[in-house]
């Protein structure tokens, strides 16, 4: 970016709706969408170019490798928006809110920075909430199992991903939580 503006990272960004949506709202910040599949981020990167968003970038990498791209304490905020819930027991360690991922986020975030999760999946939400509440290094935890009817709605800026729109239209409630290490 060639500036020292704060960096927000959207993990499992898919089409980059949050990355580009936040970049439009906050031109004084930098936003990086991370996903493993290039065809997913193509849409967001195309939109960023079309809208001349100079504060947006995309990174194609497995999230387990993001420490190769960011220094300790470099990230100001992390968004995890509608990740694969990995519902099978054998995939728990692959959930983006499992302990091994949380430890990575803790190292990369500046002290006092938020991690934010939005999901329609009740199982992932409850798993994450349980993991966070069991930790001794977490504070400022806020959560709701119905984002649109909660005090936290404003924190999400009414940016909706493709999956959020789809699941909400099917009657699913959107769950949200945020916390700091």
């Amino acid at each position: 970016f060639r500036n020292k503006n704060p960096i927000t990272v959207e993990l499992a960004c898919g089409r980059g709706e949050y990355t580009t949506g936040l970049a439009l709202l906050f031109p004084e910040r930098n936003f990086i969408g991370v996903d493993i599949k290039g065809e997913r981020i193509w849409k967001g990167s195309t939109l960023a170019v079309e809208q001349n968003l100079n504060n947006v970038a995309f990174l194609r990498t497995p999230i387990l490798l993001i420490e190769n791209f960011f220094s300790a304490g470099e990230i100001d905020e992390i968004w995890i928006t509608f990740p694969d819930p990995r519902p099978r027991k054998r995939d728990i360690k692959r959930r983006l809110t499992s302990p091994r991922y949380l430890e990575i986020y803790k190292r990369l975030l500046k002290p006092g920075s938020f991690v934010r999760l939005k999901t329609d999946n009740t199982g992932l939400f409850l798993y994450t909430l349980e993991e966070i509440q069991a930790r001794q290094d977490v504070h400022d935890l806020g959560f709701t199992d119905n984002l649109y009817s909660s005090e936290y709605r404003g924190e999400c800026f009414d940016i909706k991903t493709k999956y959020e729109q789809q699941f909400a239209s099917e009657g699913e409630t959107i769950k949200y939580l945020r916390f700091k290490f």
Side-chain angles (χ1 to χ4, degrees), residues 116-160:
R116 301 174 188 273
L117 169 73
K118 281 179 76 177
T119 184
D120 65 296
N121 188 278
T122 301
L124 177 63
F125 175 74
L126 293 175
Y127 165 83
T128 303
L129 190 56
E130 185 177 303
E131 287 294 323
I132 299 303
Q133 289 176 326
R135 295 180 68 106
Q136 300 299 310
D137 58 352
V138 167
H139 61 97
D140 288 340
L141 172 63
F143 62 92
T144 179
D145 63 358
N146 191 347
L147 177 62
Y148 301 151
S149 297
S150 79
E151 64 188 277
Y152 298 106
R153 183 175 183 171
E155 292 183 18
C156 297
F157 309 105
D158 279 333
I159 299 170
K160 295 179 180 162

Side-chain angles (χ1 to χ4, degrees), residues 81-85 118-122 124 146 148 160-175:
T81 53
F82 295 85
D84 184 336
K118 281 179 76 177
T119 184
D120 65 296
N121 188 278
T122 301
L124 177 63
N146 191 347
Y148 301 151
K160 295 179 180 162
T161 70
K162 171 187 168 185
Y163 291 110
E164 182 172 358
Q165 291 173 18
Q166 175 187 333
F167 294 126
S169 71
E170 294 171 1
E172 292 286 341
T173 59
I174 305 305
K175 291 87 172 150

